[in-house]
Amino acid sequence: MTFDLSTLFILGIVYLMMLFGIALATERGWIPQRVTRHPIVYVLALGVFASVWSYYAATGNAFRDGFGYLAPFIGISLAFLFSPVMLRPLLDITKSYQLSSLADLLAFRYRSPLAGTLTTIVMLIGVTPLLSLQIQAVANSVAILAPEASQTTLAIVFCVLITLFAIFFGTGRGAGREKHEGLVMAIAFESVVKLLAMLTIGWFAVYEGFGGFRELDAWLQTQPELLASIKSPDAPGSFHVTAILFFTAAVATPHMFYMIFNENNDPKALTLASWALPLYFLLLSLPVFPVLWAGLKVGSSTPLEYYPVTLGIDHGSEIITLIGFLGGLSAASGLIIVITLALSNMCLNHLILPIYQPTARNDIYRWLLWKRRTLIAALIWIGFLFYYIPDDKLSVRAIGNVSYIASLQFLPSIIALLYWPRGNKNGFVAGLLLGVAIWFLFLMLPVATGTNLLAFSGINTREIIALSLVCNILIFIAVSLWTRTSAEERASADICALDTIRRRNRTGLVAKSPDDFIAKLTKPLGERTATREVLQAMRDLKIDKQEKRPHAMRLLRGRLEANLSGLLGPSIAHDLIDRFLPYTIESEHGSTDVDVIESRIEAYRSNLSGMAEDLDNLRRYHRQVLLELPLGVCSLGEQNQIVMWNQTMEKLTGTPAQEVLGSQLNEIGEPWSSLIHDFTIGDAAHAHKRVVQVKNHRRFISLHKAIIEKSAAHKIKQDGVVILLEDLTETELLEEELTHSERLASIGRLAAGVAHEIGNPITGIACLAQNIRDETDDDELRSMARQIIEQTDRTSRIVQSLVNFAHSGSNKLDHNSEVVTVEECIREAIALISLDKKRKEINYVVNCKPGLQILGDSQRLLQVMVNLLNNAHDASPANSKITLASKLVSGSVQISVTDEGTGIPESIRDRIFDPFFTTKEPGEGTGLGLSLVYSIVENLDGHIDIISASSRKENPGTRVILTFPCYDGAAAATGMPAEAH
Amino acid sequence: MYITRSTLLLLLFGYLLFLLSVDWVSQPEGAWYRPFIIGFLVIAVAAFCHREQNADDL
């Protein structure tokens, strides 16, 4: 059975057009995102690994190696089954630092452009034969199906279509960082086609080739040699070497790196791939034996590798033949597209950009886009030439082996990247060069030239692979231990290593704001690119344009470097950022951002177990103690940067921790900045009751500090200051009140003594004066006696006031406890005041809620009201109004006396309750009235406030507010506390 | 790197299981698809282990 070239041509074109259609539909959004972004699409796209190597070469391998043909599938499956060991940490690093290829990753880790360039060159040498292998496989399968047709024509058309597809759907809009959902969807579709084709051919092999599973088993029983050969152990170690080779291939081949890390939308998709991709490979490898045996049974004359295509021909089934052909086509095209995309990025970042960079005048995105497109086309056509030029077409197996072995040389550096921070650039380069040299001389050259230049008898391919790897590892370790590692490389190693915590320099930046960043980057990138990149980094970090905190600026710098790394590669990005956005002072390596360490441990927390978990719990406990301490805790690191700000500090200053962490002390705002700064630079370890004005209120703060000595631990060199802030405002106010009460009490005692001592002589004087008045006829003498009596009366009143004042604060229990109706008391006070007819005319307005009662002494409350009315009366102009009101407020009775008088100036408001303080003329008042009111109100469990009655400038008036617990008759009857309401 | 005792125990157990399964696959009278049965079992165990991946995004 043969086919026309036109049939195969149309089939191939239709299939590739379907790929275009799927990619286009995805990019245009015609396929819903819940489908295109589903993790299963990512898993299927990873099936790109199953190239013609898996599709065609597997049958040949199965014949030669028996179960050994499963080694590649097992190798790569192990990498995914154990993804938390290697793939997941690498995914985190590549995502954080926008590393798009293994060359980027190694250049970033070993801080060497040379590492990136070497990796790219080795990959190019190793992978180009793989490209030509795919083209050859398609051409060979065409030759089998249509012997008359020109293979070259079909290969050229195939390459043209693949080139167009890769350029249209793989390069996006040029920034090089966006996900290519169309491409991923198309590659996932190809994986489905491959799998369905293989399963269909397998089913065909069993049922058409043998008639069913039972017949297959029966036939196998007649082939004991065949059965024995699949189970006989192949050459010792060859299975393991192949498995290791393909385990490494998961990361060290450009197409797998690109698909696993670049096109990953969600880390959870990798978790699904951890078991779903091995399942895919298992299903793909399952039909290999039945296909092989069916081909052997029918005695097919074609090479074993092409049995998936020829089985249909042998059994006269056109459909199965074409399905087999399509499966091969999809395996080849998927691999070529993804490899060239990945390689084009690597070549651009590590071969072209280090030599030639676009100027700031160019549109960088456009320049990169076109370079990338040119590289894709160039790589595919180099692959084609590699297929076309050699006369004798190399065997599928030989080329496959040789290509993959080059990638094995990256295994030591990848493992060291995650688990051995001591490994350095020199070790990596030396190990890689030696390993690659062995590979090239002993494997690549013999296969390429057909002559074994160094014919070592007895050394086979497997041993050379092992030798190259062992030499690579030993040299890597030896040179790394022998040579120095730069501080910069150590920092990178710490970032990548799993058991260390990310460290960041705490030094300040020359650029202080996002605008500064744009200005600095305009020089190398041009204004448009610089603005776009800075805004993008700000969006990624969710920071706004006003942000100026050093902590945020450092994060912005890191993000910019990562983003530019995705655009220009890590080496160029690092150089550019270092040159244009330098630090002001280089800080010592190892200095840490405590909050960054904590957030990282917090994120890693659920992975901790055993003692690590206990330690973490202890850390959290101590941290919680500090955070919830009822004292303000503020810890300062290098250059006065704030590293801790606990909850009490948040309440005290009204500034959330998120806003100040990482800021410098002078950025937290006054008065706290000056208060803490002055205290920090002073020698004293304690400062007592510093007064600060916060929102027009005085606050009394005590400060204590402790210096954190440098730690003896090797990696932690943090020093700083811990400052405790104690808010003593409440205590201070209480103390002031207590002092006031004490003063009143002492004056009361003094007044009682004075009253007693003066009272008696005054009484004597008054009696004598009365005697003189009554017994003399001399008018002048009588008049003088009357004056003496008047003066003694006045003195007696003063003495009486003193006695009253002294008694008022003496003992609460002396007071009568009776129910007083507030309104009655107010009206009685007004009646008493009104008796003095000599006074000026004042209107009294009573506005009382009826029935309000308090528990107390009616006479004393009356005295309070009379005193207050007297004061109000004296302060008020004639014919003005004095309002007396009472109301119920939150279970308390509030009585207010409001006048329209001159008001109380702010300057004397603090002193008006002091005894003997008066603003009246001498002889007009004793200065004891308000003191007395204060004492009585306090003794009645009340409270007094004096405020301005209005905001008028002239005669603002004064309002005195008395608050007493309300008396509730019903509650009193049931025995509840009288004031409860 | 911090390796817990349970991980070491699991590795030891896994290695012993691997040796047993290789013996079982290589038995001359055994069916040709035995490696695939083991493959499916391993994948099932892996799917079970990965079913509740913690939410740490490092």
Side-chain angles (χ1 to χ4, degrees):
Chain A
M1 181 198 300
T2 56
F3 291 86
D4 289 338
L5 180 63
S6 57
T7 311
L8 298 178
F9 190 78
I10 290 169
L11 187 68
I13 295 283
V14 167
Y15 175 73
L16 291 173
M17 283 301 151
M18 273 177 76
L19 286 189
F20 271 82
I22 288 169
L24 195 69
T26 310
E27 301 257 300
R28 294 280 164 89
W30 297 336
I31 302 175
Q33 277 202 341
R34 67 171 191 280
V35 175
T36 58
R37 294 199 171 176
H38 196 279
I40 202 73
V41 172
Y42 170 73
V43 174
L44 286 170
L46 291 176
V48 71
F49 176 81
S51 62
V52 295
W53 168 266
S54 317
Y55 191 80
Y56 288 137
T59 39
N61 289 342
F63 181 75
R64 280 181 290 268
D65 302 334
F67 285 139
Y69 89 95
L70 290 172
F73 296 118
I74 290 174
I76 187 127
S77 295
L78 282 176
F80 277 88
L81 288 170
F82 291 93
S83 61
V85 175
M86 186 167 76
L87 299 183
R88 182 60 202 271
L90 287 178
L91 178 68
D92 293 329
I93 296 170
T94 52
K95 265 186 180 297
S96 300
Y97 296 92
Q98 303 269 342
L99 306 169
S100 60
S101 65
L102 185 65
D104 280 2
L105 180 66
L106 294 177
F108 173 78
R109 159 62 178 84
Y110 296 102
R111 278 289 171 223
S112 156
L114 178 67
T117 309
L118 265 180
T119 308
T120 307
I121 291 171
V122 172
M123 287 254 179
L124 264 180
I125 299 171
V127 167
T128 313
L130 207 64
L131 283 178
S132 53
L133 173 70
Q134 312 301 313
I135 299 168
Q136 185 196 353
V138 173
N140 284 355
S141 57
V142 171
I144 290 168
L145 298 179
E148 306 300 320
S150 158
Q151 290 181 35
T152 311
T153 312
L154 199 113
I156 289 174
V157 173
F158 175 67
C159 285
V160 168
L161 287 173
I162 292 291
T163 309
L164 289 176
F165 184 87
I167 285 177
F168 280 126
F169 297 104
T171 53
R173 282 176 292 280
R177 290 186 300 248
E178 68 270 26
K179 305 278 180 234
H180 306 106
E181 287 179 354
L183 172 84
V184 173
M185 197 68 189
I187 300 294
F189 172 75
E190 295 215 282
S191 294
V192 173
V193 170
K194 262 184 300 197
L195 182 63
L196 288 179
M198 201 62 189
L199 288 174
T200 309
I201 296 164
W203 171 84
F204 182 81
V206 172
Y207 284 94
E208 289 298 318
F210 295 98
F213 278 102
R214 195 167 294 168
E215 288 77 7
L216 169 67
D217 273 340
W219 181 81
L220 271 180
Q221 297 309 319
T222 64
Q223 309 284 328
E225 284 178 16
L226 193 65
L227 203 55
S229 74
I230 65 167
K231 290 180 185 174
S232 68
D234 48 1
S238 117
F239 186 94
H240 304 100
V241 168
T242 315
I244 292 176
L245 200 63
F246 283 84
F247 176 87
T248 314
V251 176
T253 47
H255 51 295
M256 284 311 280
F257 193 101
Y258 181 86
M259 270 300 166
I260 296 174
F261 304 121
N262 262 25
E263 299 296 347
N264 177 286
N265 278 320
D266 179 7
K268 283 183 186 146
L270 183 61
T271 308
L272 177 69
S274 300
W275 61 268
L277 193 66
L279 182 64
Y280 177 85
F281 290 137
L282 191 73
L283 291 174
L284 198 66
S285 58
L286 190 57
V288 170
F289 270 135
V291 171
L292 170 71
W293 294 330
L296 290 176
K297 185 183 173 217
V298 84
S300 180
S301 57
T302 49
L304 293 167
E305 280 80 9
Y306 294 100
Y307 275 9
V309 180
T310 57
L311 201 63
I313 299 176
D314 294 335
H315 287 86
S317 169
E318 284 187 11
I319 293 280
I320 293 296
T321 310
L322 292 178
I323 287 175
F325 171 69
L326 268 187
L329 192 65
S330 65
S333 55
L335 188 84
I336 294 177
I337 292 165
V338 182
I339 277 192
T340 49
L341 282 181
L343 276 180
S344 69
N345 275 341
M346 289 168 75
C347 291
L348 186 63
N349 289 349
H350 300 281
L351 295 182
I352 293 178
L353 282 173
I355 301 167
Y356 177 72
Q357 289 169 25
T359 60
R361 287 192 301 278
N362 290 357
D363 178 349
I364 291 179
Y365 300 109
R366 198 177 165 74
W367 188 90
L368 290 171
L369 176 68
W370 280 105
K371 288 287 172 292
R372 199 169 279 123
R373 287 177 171 173
T374 313
L375 279 167
I376 288 172
L379 285 165
I380 291 178
W381 290 97
I382 287 173
F384 174 78
L385 289 178
F386 225 77
Y387 149 76
Y388 182 69
I389 292 172
D391 289 335
D392 51 337
K393 300 287 187 283
L394 306 172
S395 85
V396 170
R397 183 184 164 83
I399 291 181
N401 265 342
V402 168
S403 296
Y404 270 103
I405 293 162
S407 63
L408 185 64
Q409 303 308 326
F410 295 109
L411 183 62
S413 49
I414 294 168
I415 299 291
L417 185 148
L418 292 173
Y419 296 101
W420 196 50
R422 280 290 301 274
N424 68 14
K425 168 178 68 180
N426 303 325
F428 162 69
V429 171
L432 181 68
L433 285 178
L434 184 68
V436 168
I438 294 173
W439 162 77
F440 188 78
L441 286 174
F442 291 81
L443 295 171
M444 189 70 175
L445 220 54
V447 171
T449 60
T451 54
N452 197 345
L453 294 178
L454 298 168
F456 279 94
S457 57
I459 296 186
N460 59 26
T461 305
R462 187 187 65 253
E463 284 160 349
I464 291 172
I465 296 169
L467 181 75
S468 66
L469 186 62
V470 169
C471 289
N472 184 342
I473 293 172
L474 289 178
I475 290 294
F476 180 46
I477 293 173
V479 176
S480 292
L481 292 175
W482 203 278
T483 56
R484 279 176 59 85
T485 309
S486 69
E488 203 178 22
E489 197 185 328
R490 275 208 304 272
S492 271
D494 284 342
I495 288 170
C496 297
L498 281 182
D499 60 344
T500 51
I501 284 162
R502 186 181 309 181
R503 290 178 172 76
R504 189 177 291 126
N505 285 340
R506 296 193 123 273
T507 42
L509 284 165
V510 171
K512 302 288 184 201
S513 67
D515 285 336
D516 280 0
F517 273 70
I518 293 173
K520 301 268 178 204
L521 287 178
T522 296
K523 199 174 170 192
L525 296 177
E527 191 178 354
R528 178 170 165 261
T529 314
T531 310
R532 189 169 151 184
E533 288 299 322
V534 172
L535 292 180
Q536 178 62 46
M538 284 164 62
R539 268 197 300 278
D540 294 344
L541 294 170
K542 296 187 177 68
I543 59 177
D544 61 44
K545 238 185 156 180
Q546 309 306 320
E547 185 65 82
K548 285 186 178 167
R549 285 181 296 159
H551 171 70
M553 291 303 103
R554 281 197 305 276
L555 286 178
L556 184 62
R557 183 188 191 271
R559 187 71 214 175
L560 261 173
E561 184 176 339
N563 285 0
L564 286 176
S565 168
L567 194 67
L568 305 166
S571 304
I572 305 277
H574 185 68
D575 269 3
L576 201 134
I577 293 285
D578 259 5
R579 199 148 21 113
F580 293 95
L581 295 169
Y583 287 111
T584 46
I585 317 155
E586 276 302 324
S587 74
E588 201 176 345
H589 171 71
S591 57
T592 48
D593 265 350
V594 174
D595 56 317
V596 173
I597 296 178
E598 291 215 308
S599 59
R600 190 153 163 84
I601 295 179
E602 205 61 32
Y604 196 68
R605 192 165 176 251
S606 55
N607 283 335
L608 300 175
S609 61
M611 193 176 282
E613 192 182 4
D614 289 344
L615 282 171
D616 185 58
N617 285 337
L618 203 61
R619 172 192 75 81
R620 289 168 68 84
Y621 174 72
H622 287 144
R623 181 176 168 73
Q624 213 57 28
V625 166
L626 279 176
L627 283 180
E628 292 181 8
L629 204 66
L631 294 174
V633 178
C634 162
S635 175
L636 302 176
E638 282 175 29
Q639 297 184 354
N640 278 345
Q641 289 198 347
I642 295 163
V643 288
M644 171 160 259
W645 193 261
N646 77 347
Q647 291 165 4
T648 311
M649 274 309 271
E650 289 183 347
K651 277 186 210 150
L652 192 60
T653 59
T655 315
Q658 282 303 322
E659 277 185 25
V660 291
L661 284 179
S663 300
Q664 282 186 315
L665 191 53
N666 56 14
E667 293 166 328
I668 60 171
E670 294 296 348
W672 305 106
S673 164
S674 308
L675 177 74
I676 299 174
H677 181 258
D678 293 347
F679 177 63
T680 314
I681 56 174
D683 293 331
H686 307 282
H688 190 58
K689 279 191 193 168
R690 293 280 170 85
V691 181
V692 286
Q693 285 286 341
V694 182
K695 293 179 187 163
N696 294 327
H697 286 96
R698 281 188 311 158
R699 296 199 82 93
F700 298 87
I701 308 286
S702 282
L703 298 105
H704 315 275
K705 75 177 167 196
I707 309 287
I708 305 171
E709 297 296 338
K710 285 199 175 188
S711 166
H714 173 60
K715 284 187 175 172
I716 301 170
K717 291 176 180 168
Q718 179 75 43
D719 58 356
V721 187
V722 175
I723 294 168
L724 292 184
L725 275 80
E726 197 176 356
D727 186 7
L728 296 174
T729 310
E730 292 290 320
T731 320
E732 178 64 21
L733 291 178
L734 274 174
E735 275 178 12
E736 277 183 4
E737 204 163 332
L738 190 65
T739 312
H740 184 70
S741 299
E742 275 297 313
R743 203 163 71 217
L744 286 183
S746 60
I747 290 171
R749 285 192 294 276
L750 179 71
V754 170
H756 181 72
E757 293 302 323
I758 291 175
N760 291 338
I762 290 294
T763 311
I765 293 167
C767 286
L768 291 172
Q770 277 175 7
N771 286 344
I772 293 169
R773 184 192 62 186
D774 295 343
E775 290 175 12
T776 186
D777 295 329
D778 185 346
D779 285 345
E780 192 178 349
L781 194 61
R782 197 178 291 142
S783 167
M784 285 171 67
R786 265 202 300 276
Q787 282 181 15
I788 291 170
I789 291 167
E790 277 176 18
Q791 293 303 319
T792 52
D793 279 351
R794 187 175 158 217
T795 313
S796 294
R797 279 202 305 277
I798 292 172
V799 168
Q800 191 55 45
S801 293
L802 278 173
V803 171
N804 284 343
F805 175 71
H807 284 179
S808 69
S810 59
N811 195 344
K812 273 174 130 179
L813 299 174
D814 289 348
H815 305 153
N816 294 327
S817 189
E818 58 188 327
V819 178
V820 183
T821 305
V822 174
E823 189 173 0
E824 281 175 12
C825 187
I826 288 173
R827 292 197 184 280
E828 197 177 340
I830 294 171
L832 282 174
I833 290 288
S834 304
L835 288 176
D836 189 349
K837 299 298 179 193
K838 290 182 214 165
R839 293 185 169 220
K840 57 194 167 208
E841 201 63 36
I842 293 288
N843 298 322
Y844 295 101
V845 179
V846 179
N847 187 9
C848 288
K849 181 179 165 65
L852 284 183
Q853 293 179 320
I854 63 169
L855 200 63
D857 186 330
S858 60
Q859 286 308 309
R860 288 183 171 272
L861 188 62
L862 184 62
Q863 191 177 358
V864 167
M865 296 312 300
V866 168
N867 280 3
L868 291 179
L869 280 177
N870 261 331
N871 281 346
H873 197 282
D874 292 345
S876 300
N879 297 319
S880 64
K881 187 171 73 177
I882 293 177
T883 309
L884 292 105
S886 67
K887 57 184 177 181
L888 193 64
V889 178
S890 307
S892 298
V893 175
Q894 204 176 69
I895 305 166
S896 63
V897 180
T898 311
D899 62 44
E900 294 175 344
T902 49
I904 301 170
E906 188 71 33
S907 55
I908 61 164
R909 198 164 282 179
D910 289 345
R911 298 161 58 200
I912 54 176
F913 293 119
D914 287 354
F916 307 113
F917 177 80
T918 179
T919 54
K920 293 176 183 169
E921 293 296 319
E924 293 286 318
T926 59
L928 287 170
L930 272 179
S931 277
L932 195 61
V933 166
Y934 183 86
S935 298
I936 294 172
V937 169
E938 290 284 307
N939 284 335
L940 291 174
D941 291 332
H943 181 74
I944 182 165
D945 276 319
I946 296 189
I947 57 171
S948 283
S950 72
S951 56
R952 286 193 299 270
K953 286 213 171 149
E954 204 164 314
N955 287 349
T958 301
R959 176 173 295 160
V960 182
I961 301 169
L962 307 174
T963 312
F964 297 100
C966 178
Y967 174 75
D968 184 347
T974 57
M976 285 174 71
E979 57 269 37
H981 190 76
Chain B
M1 190 174 68
Y2 181 74
I3 299 175
T4 58
R5 287 175 201 173
S6 51
T7 312
L8 287 173
L9 196 70
L10 204 68
L11 282 176
L12 183 70
F13 185 70
Y15 179 67
L16 292 175
L17 215 61
F18 168 73
L19 293 180
L20 277 175
S21 56
V22 167
D23 277 352
W24 185 65
V25 166
S26 321
Q27 280 171 0
E29 72 279 9
W32 63 271
Y33 45 79
R34 276 188 179 181
F36 297 96
I37 294 174
I38 290 177
F40 276 118
L41 286 177
V42 169
I43 288 166
V45 170
F48 178 78
C49 292
H50 286 296
R51 81 198 184 285
E52 204 176 280
Q53 188 68 273
N54 60 60
D56 295 347
D57 285 326
L58 295 180

